[in-house]
Each structure stands twice: as structure tokens, then as C-alpha cells.
Amino acid sequence: MFKPVHPQVDGRPDADDLEGENKWTQLAQKHWRNLVKSRKVKNEVIKNNIWDSLENEGFPFRTLLILENLQLLEKFVHSIENAKRAAFQSLDNSLIRRECAPLVSISIWQNLASEATMERKFEQYAPLKKAWRAATRKFNSADETTQAKLRFDHLESQLPTRRYVNSLVKDLNLLGLIRLSSLFNETENGLFRDLFALLRHYVYFPIDDNTGIQLSQVQSYEEHSANLARLQRISLKNFKDKLMILALSNYAAIDSRDELEAHLNPLDDVELATLARLLGFRTTYPLTSKVDVGREMLLEILLSTHERRKTFREVMRDLSILPTEATLYEPTLLRNEHYNGSRSLAIPKLNLQYLSVGDFLWRSFVLYRCESFFEIRKEMEETVKRLQPRETQHPSKVHFDGFSRMAIPIPKPAIIEVAPPKVGHQKPALVRAEIGLDVSKLAESVRREWESLRQDDVVYLLAVDPTEDTRDVTNGHAAHPTSRDFGIRYLRAAEVERVLDDDGHVIRDMPAGLSNGYVARPRVRRLLVKIDTVAYTLDTAQRKDGQPDIYETINLIVRRKGRENNFRKILDTIKTLASSDIAVPDWLQEVFLGYGDPTSATYTRMPNRISQLDFRDTFLDWRHLVESLPDRVVEPYVHDESVIEPPFILDGITSAEPEHPRPSKKRRREDVEVSQPAAKFIKVSTYKPPNNGPYPTDAPKTNQIRFTPVQVQAIVSGTQPGLTVIVGPPGTGKTDVATQIINNIYHDFPSQRTLLIAHSNQALNQLFQKITNLDIDERHLLRLGHGEEDLETDVNYSKHGRVESFLGNRGHYLAEVDRLAANFQAPGAHANSCETAGYFNSVYVVPAWSKFWDHANADTNISDIASSFPFHQYFSNAPQPLFPPESRKEQILDIARGCQRHIERIFSELEDIRPFEILRTSRDKANYLLIKEARIIAMTSTHAAIRRQEIADLGFRYDNVIMEEAAQITEIENFIPLALQNPKDGQLALQRVVLCGDHLQNSPIVQNLAFRQFANLEQSLFLRFVRLGVPIISLDSQGRARPSIAELYKWRYPKLENLPNVLTEIEYLRANAGFRYEYQFIDVPDYKGMGESQPTPHYFQNLGEAEYAVTLYQYMRLLGYPASRISILTTYAGQRALIRDVLGHRCAKNRLFGLPRLVTTVDKYQGEQNDYIILSLVRTARAGYLRDIRRLTVALSRARLGLYILGRRSVFETCYELREAFVKLFERPNQLLLTPGEVFPANRMLEDEVEGTEMTGVVHLGQYVFEMTKAKIESLKVGGGQLPMIEATPEMMKMDADEEDGAGGDPVAEDEDIDGVE
């Protein structure tokens, strides 16, 4: 059992609290702790033992956390009547959903005001009448308690709970009652008003409550017009004298609140009540409700129902996506700042279900905008704080004592152009400004970052006023801080157009140290930007009203890093999708929205599933095929004694259980027979793969991986039409599975195109690299976006690289045409162009083949067939003899067919290249490549979101989407790649969606706690499908790590097994040279009196662990471990920078050491692996964000052969959430144990028992390594040896690039990413 060394700083429960003998643990053990299923609640236990005790103690937070960890709610308190309201906020939970569903059924219509109201509902949708009769019988037969429950109501944002509740909410005039309440109108109740606005949004959301179909903009207006028409008819019929003008007015004249109120004012109170009653509104309430239906209430009912409200599309259109100081510090946003889980928030949530695709897009837009503005605000505050502004003697001047590489003080921007508004708009079409940047004092690396600003990048123009002391300001001092509290008087956003040099020339990419060809240090850069036109219009209006000119006071420009600054384009994309009424394919619609049968989109339920499929090289041999389908009977079509070889065509692979109509409940109770499933037969046929030519390069690349049965199941599902969700624990080969799926689709469906999506460039490159190793023609591959340069291939797969490749191949293939012309001794310039080559093919080559095949089919003499072959001269450079003398006729003809395919491929390639001869501009060529030539297109989810409209407008079409690391992508960025093409016949023409990921590893990073935990913004589509019950295929065998290392995270994957390679291959059986253990947790105490430090918020560092990690790396290098097989990981970006700094001083230039393969954070290393991992956990006060077990799972699963973890034991052994992971680590000694006298690779086996030498700390290890280094150098001197060359690793190349940029000479700390958010 763990024993805490010191009290928990953060007040969280430790292991003793949850395993000890305190009263809460004993209560849990007695009533619910050991139960497998939830039990019925005992009210006396809740009242006497839990509630009263908590009330007496004042509901201490620590005790509540203990009860949460003891699973009180999950296993015991699931039916408390007082928890109903909280339950309806947790409908994602299946248990709560099952309990609450009856409370929002049609039975609650017992509470409607009148039978007439109900009849109108029945007229609108006839099936409701049948449902109502059944509910009435159930209501009448129930006792009083059950009848009371059936009247319970709430929840508008999910279709199953909204369908009947919304009618009751409208009938009760709930919105009017709230709006007139004193609570709503009290100034301090802003949160309540925000909650009201959210409720009103969902009450009037444009959707048919009965069918679930979202209304278009036109349908919404028609529905509004119908309400007004009904009002006019009743007014004309019953109040002709007073409401004649209202009855005869056009709709636009009466659909605003003020105008409608003016028309209704002539009616007295009785007439107003009569009008409301005639329109079907409730005008009476039970006396116990104490509702006063007076004139004000009646007017509110009529006005709120008939006024024209903005649809969610119009709300999104009007919301600014570029921030100002007002939008960054909106009270609505600031209320979410200090969320602790104890209250509701007025923000939409990403649930399991959505009303419609439009509802999903609206929620995503609001949350993404809020999260983006939150991040911008934090960065602006931090930047201003770093700059340390202060007043000068001149009242309008501000001096900045500090520095940030992300900001430059500037004079006021010069507005150089204001374009007139477009037709129908009031804001200017364009506001262009010029900004002067003084770069003379910047380090070269910083200057080049400013010069590399790209078109459409967003920069921020700030008016900083140091009247407040910004240097000591911290977040949270005031309930609702304003921008002035941080010295930010104004903030405006602008988009970059161009960066100009001193002479006004556009700056291009230049070599380091040069400036447009001059060595002289540049002094000024000019930035042309487009000012936010919406904000400029408001600023101009305020200036006319006597307010100061904001642009005269701007004195600072701030930029952000590229990946974090893509928000504007992504928000624009969401807006565009919402306004286009885009719909997902019919087969995916209900599953995506979270309704209906979650299995309906899987291939076994798809009507277009394919019964016969060619699986090519998926199976290595017959035995592999049989082993891969253990639940099927596999038989060849033709029974003979020979063993058939791949490739295999499987017939019957889609056979599924027949679907039977669901019997009634009565029939199911009486049914006692259990039908036995029929045996599933698969017929297998094969064929001889075509001969592609006589050259070695013509041989196809084939798969060499022996896929497991579960991997085969995933490949089968992904190759078939429909939705496939693949869960891939660490090391289980989900990337290999995705690659094989792509390969099968490419060959089986040559007319289809596949889109590959990944969270990061790194993950995308890994997938793309494996694709290039398969039998896929490189001309059909395309990689969009940045990061292509990191691909470890000789071929450039970017758009322009592919165009250059096509043009480069043109010369090669035309040279082959010249050789063919020489073969025929044909005079003329046949290889002058692709067009002339095509003529040559039709005049010479095709007739020659026709003549040869006529002769070959008629002649049985082998020698005559070989001698009549017309291309002997052309194939003279192929391996000889072309036709072996002992060959049979079939073999001769097969070789000839291969030669024909080789030549046909030449002219096919030239035909594909021909458009690139005709097209003139690089842009046209690149776009043609995207929309016509490429069949496998890869990009990151961010690139898809940014470029969605541009790609769709080109007419881009695709049939399949495959997402890698889908659990790391936010739900909106999961969705956008599904909609990169414009709908065809109102639908997205998708046939397959394959999601690969692992929801038990890292999720999307969301910094704001409220958006992450309350709004579920970190939810991915992958995770939502898993929670909905969509069938998943969980890969169950890992082949990455030693079995002992896999045990550290296997508790997260109970069914995870080991592949044979990790049990039998020598590298997994051999011990790590110089180490007693293959994995070990090393307790690192304070170094020089200090543990963790935090120079800036979230920028954690630990010098002791950094020194230990580097010293351990040096030790491994001295033993002979290759640098490329070692990676150093850490949990914080600050520690990454510190480790790199120590490595730079100690190892970078030392030929004994060099640099490891990579030094990076755990978050950025998901999907990667290396043989040996040194992991620094950093924290010494509390566990921090590593409490998220998903991140720890990633950290522990990166190593193949050795894992050495540096941390503070006292912090992690008292962390209950991490107990399962650390219990095995803590079984071994705290201090590093070494085995002297060994070198890499070790001769010792892993199970061999040896004595270890204990290192008592980093100083001891450092001294040990120092002595080893001296001995190594002395031995080299004595033996006349030479120091090894420094190994080129990715980390070494990064450091060299930093030095070239001058980063090493910048004395100011770099602004870092916040990888870990607490």
C-alpha cells in the first residue's frame, strides 16, 4: 500500500483516503464498493449516513472528492428524486437516460391548456394521435405517484427529450413568464439572462419537432409568415375596427416587436385576453402557480410568438470572428473563467445527440469562437505583461521596458485606403493600412519570423495604456476584469497582405543572413494589412459622435504562432457550412446525429455491401487466410490437391445474420425457442497476378505483415462501404491496418478517390510514408499543406512537387518513345510532345501488337512466336534472355503480355501528363492535379478546415475518408473533412468513413476548463461514436514493446495480448546493456535546493530532472547505444527547452555523445516510438495535468526496449488516479541501478539475475559518467583510435537550424506553447 510522504498540497484524496479505514471507505465497502451492478438506493443511508454528515461538516470539497472517487453516484445514488435536474444535464449517461426518458414522453401533454391545442398538434402530424391514445391509457391506469412523475418536464437541446417537452414549454408561456420575472430583470443576474437566451434559442430552433428535419431559411420564414397570417385573419374577423391596419399590413411591417406592440395597443385588457385565447394561447393558470395574467403578460405572449427572430444562421453571420477588446472581455465569456463544476453555464454543450447538422455546427461555432478568444486574451495579457509598459514625460507616449519576440512597439498605423461598401452592405469593402516595423534591434531569428508572416495571417493592433500597473496584475483579482486592468485600452485585428522591405519590395524567402541580396542589417519593414471592417465601421461612427480616434492611439503589434492563429478561417468555414444546409450522407445521418440504431452504418447493414472482394496481398498464404477468419468456414471454389496461393478473392465475406422484425413484448415473453445461427461459409478463388513487365522495377510491392484476425476484421470492414471505427491501443498496428485498407480500395475501386486526414503533420507523414511502400502508383498520391518536407522519401508529394514530377517524368517517357521509334526505325520527331507520342502509339505500336497477337494465337511453334515479337530491340536492356529457351508457350505469352503492359504504361503516363503541357500557370496545373489526377489525397484536419471552401469550389470530389488519430481531433475538425466537397443531389457522396484512433490516449487540447469539462469541447467524433455504441473493432495484439513494459499500461486494455515477435526475437529477450532493469522509476530529489520552477504560467521546468536525463543519455552513449535509438520525453514545453539547452552545452558538439533522436513533449510524441525512452515528469508539488490518465498512457507506451522515468515518488504514489500505472513501477528500487562492465549490445538475457550498482542521485551519476568519459578518451588515445562522427539525428538538424537562424544568440526567453493545461 502507498504511504504518503507529505500532505497533499491540492487537497485531493490520496490512496489512504480511498483504501484506509475512514468512515467513508467503510460505508462504501458495506453498501456499494464491491458491487458489479448498481443497486437500488436506500433513502435512510443517503439521509442519515451521507447527507446529514456532509451538511454538518459544511460539505467540504475534499470529502466530496473522496465520495466521487468511491463511485457513490455511479453505483449507489442513481434514482434520487432531488437529483432529477442534474440528471437531465447528464443524459449522455445511459442509466440516467433510461430513467428520464419516460418523464419527457407524450404523457406530459396532460398538462396542455386545452383540447384544441392538442388537436392542432395532431393535425400537424397524424402519428401523434396514436401515441397519445396509448399514453392516455397508461396515464389513466397509473397511481397518483406515477401520474405525478409523468407530468415532469424539461430539456430542449436533444430531440428525444424535446419532441413533446417543447410543446408544453410553449403552451405554458414559460419564456414570457421568465422574461417578466424580477429575477430576470435584476442587474446582477447576467448568468440567468444568458441561460434564458440559450433556452429561447432551443425553443425556437428551426426544426420539425416531430420528424426531426431541420427547416431551411425559406421554410423558417414561411412558418413565421403563417403565424402572422393566422394573427391577421383572427384580428380581421374579431377586431376589425381596432386591428384593421394590422390585418392589412404586409408581414415586414408587423414582425418587429415595437411595430406589433403599437398595433395591439388599441385593444383593452379583455380584448387582448380574448385575442390570445382565440390564437390558442393559455390565459389561465392554477391558483397555486401565482401567475398574474395581466396586460403585460398577454402582450409578451403575443409579441414573443409573432416577432421575427434571427435564425441560428443569422446569429452566426452577425457574430464577429475577429476580436476586439470588447469581445475578448464580454461578461458572458468571463463568467466561464473560473468554472469549478458546481453550477450550470450559459454555453451550448457537445452532447451525444444533436437536433440537426445545423445545430451541431452552431454549437461548435460558439464554443470554438469562445475558446479561440480565450486563448487570444491570455496571450495578449501575457505579452503586455512581458513588455512592462510605463508612462513617459510625454503624455501620449508609452515606453516598453521589457521584450517579447511576439510583439513590436509601432507608431500609429496609416490608413491608406478605404474602399466603398459593396451593394447591400454598410461596412467598407476594404480598409488597408500600412504599419512600420523597427527591426533593427531584433535578433535575426526574430526578424525572420516577422518577415515570414504570410498572407491572411491575423495580427493584433493594441493601444496599451500603462495607467494601471500591469506588471503585478494576475488573473482573477476581480470578478469580471476588463481590458484596462491589463493595460489594454483598445485591440483591433488585421489580416496581413504583404511584408515589404525598406524599398517597398515584397520580401521573398531568402537565405539566412541576406536581405534581398544585401548583407547590410535591415532597419525597417513595412506591413500592409487589412483592418477588420466591422470594427472600423463602428469606430468611425463613434469618432463622429465625438469619441477619440482609436487608430491614433495604437502603439503595439502582436502576432501569434501559426497553428494557434488559424481560428478565423476555421470559423469562416463553419459559418459557410451552416449557411449551406449541408447534410451528411443518408446512411450516416442518424448515427452522426446520435439517433436510431448505432449499428445501422456498419457494412453488414449497408444495402450496397459487396459480396465478393479481391483482398490482393492482405493474406500471405492459405494458412494465414484460414487463421484470420476463425468463425468462418473457408473453402476454395475448386477442390484439388494443390494449395492455392494469394491473391485471394473472397465471396460471402459480408454474410450477416438475417434481420427479423422485432416481435411484440407479449410475443417475446412467450418465445422460448432460441434460433441457432447458420454456419458462415466463405468461398475463395484466386488468379495469377498480371505480369507488369520484364524489368525488376515492374514487380509490384507486396504486403509482408501477417495481420492478426482482428486486424483482418478491421481491413474487411474498412474495404466495404459504411462506417468503420478502429480502436488501436499502443503498438497494435492501426496505421498498418489503415494503409492496407487504402491499398485495397485503390486497387479494387479504381474510379474512387480517398481522402486521408490526420491530426498532425507527423501522424500524416507516418501514414503517407507507409503508403508509398505499397503497390500504389506515385502519380496518384498527393500531400497538401505544410509538413510534406519532413517525409523521409526521395519524391516530393506536394502539389508543386507532383507537378514538377509529372514534367520530369515527361522527359523520361518521351526518351522511351524515342527508343521505341528506333525499334521501328520510324523517322520523325515522335517524342516532341505527349501529343505526338500518342500519334506514334496509334500508328506504330498498337498495330504491331495486333499483328503479333494474331500470329501468336494462330501459331503453336514457340520459337516462331518468340522470333515474331516486334520489340526485341527495345527490350534489349531488360534481363536476358527475354524469352528463356525452355519456356512453354503460356510462359512466352505471359512475358509478352508483361512487355505490352510496360509499353502501355508509358503511353498512359504520357496521356496523363499531356494536360500539364497545355495548362500554362502553376496554379492551374496544381488544381488540375488535385481534382483530376490524384486518387489518394492527404492533409491535416487543420488544413482541411482552413482550405475547405477553396477546395470545394474547385469541384473536388472524393468517395472515402480515412482518419488517423481521430480521437485527437475535435469533433468539428472531424466533421469538416467529410464536407470538403459540395453536395451532389443534396447529399455528400461518401461511401466509406474509417476512423482510426484510441480514446484512451490523448484527446484534443482545450485550455479553458469550462469548455473542456462542461461543454465537452474536447470530445472527438471518434469518442462520441464509441459512447453511442457504434460497433468498434479493438485491435488486441501489440508488437511494439517488451511484454514487461506493456504491463505498465495493459491495465487500460484488459484484452491486450502480445504478438509472437516480442516473445521470441532476440532484441526483446536481451537485457539493456549497463542497466539492471529494462524499466525503472527513478526518484529525483531537489537539485541545488529546488524542485519544479515556473518562470511563466504553465512553463514548468525542473533542473534536477533535466540534468539527470542528459547525464543518463551520456551514459548510454558511452556504452555504445546509437543516438538515433534514444528519445527524451517530458510533460511540459518548458522542460523540453531546458533539456535542449543542457544538451546543447554538453553534448551537441561532443563527438562522443551527439544528440538523441528527439527531445519533445509527450503530447507531440503520440503515434511515435523509439527503442529507449528517458521520461521526465517534471512536477514536484503535485501531479498537475498528468492526472489525466490518457496522457500517462501515451507516456508509458512509447518505448520498445527500455523506459527510464524521472520524477518525484512522493507526488505520484499518493495520486489515486495513477495508482494502477505506478504500482508496478514502485515495486522496483527508487534509485537507478547500473551493471558496470557491459557494452551495447548486451550478452546478458533479461531474466538473468545480476547485482546492480546504485546511483544515489544526479551528482553521483554525473561523477560516474565523468570518470567513464575520461577513461574512454584515454583508451582512445592509447589505442590510437578516433572519436566517432556525430550521428545526424532529427534533433541535431533542429539545433543546427536554430543556430543558422541565430536563435542561440537571442538572450530573451522564447514564448512557448502551453502543452500541458491544468
Side-chain angles (χ1 to χ4, degrees), residues 229 291 504 558 828 894 1070 1155 1163 1197:
V291 174
V558 181
D894 185 60
R1070 182 183 287 140
L1155 293 177
D1163 284 353
S1197 59

Side-chain angles (χ1 to χ4, degrees), residues 205 350 354-365 574 592-593 971-973 975-976 1024:
F205 190 85
L350 299 184
Y354 302 109
L355 295 178
S356 64
V357 174
D359 176 38
F360 162 71
L361 291 170
W362 177 80
R363 298 189 205 198
S364 299
F365 178 85
I574 302 174
F592 178 80
L593 295 179
E971 192 165 5
I972 184 61
E973 291 185 336
F975 174 78
I976 290 174
R1024 186 162 70 88

Side-chain angles (χ1 to χ4, degrees), residues 1 23 39 87 136 199 256 280 304 351 434:
M1 182 176 294
K23 65 177 182 180
R39 64 185 296 174
T136 302
L199 175 63
S256 72
S304 62
N351 297 322
E434 183 178 295

Side-chain angles (χ1 to χ4, degrees), residues 1095-1111:
T1096 59
H1098 307 292
Y1099 194 74
F1100 288 95
Q1101 295 182 331
N1102 186 319
L1103 181 59
E1105 289 186 17
E1107 293 281 359
Y1108 208 123
V1110 174
T1111 307

Side-chain angles (χ1 to χ4, degrees), residues 811-825:
H812 167 71
Y813 289 120
L814 290 177
E816 293 297 297
V817 173
D818 265 336
R819 292 183 58 235
L820 283 167
N823 179 84
F824 291 106
Q825 297 181 353

Side-chain angles (χ1 to χ4, degrees), residues 759 966-971 974 1002-1006 1012 1017-1020 1190-1191:
H759 164 65
Q968 274 193 281
I969 306 174
T970 59
E971 192 165 5
N974 280 135
N1002 282 345
S1003 62
I1005 295 177
V1006 177
R1012 184 166 74 247
L1017 184 55
E1018 69 170 0
Q1019 174 177 266
S1020 65
R1190 295 172 297 185
R1191 281 193 171 93

Side-chain angles (χ1 to χ4, degrees), residues 158-177:
Q158 299 184 44
L159 191 60
T161 55
R162 170 194 175 88
R163 180 169 282 129
Y164 305 118
V165 171
N166 200 39
S167 298
L168 184 60
V169 168
K170 290 180 179 178
D171 180 77
L172 292 171
N173 304 315
L174 188 60
L175 294 178
L177 291 169

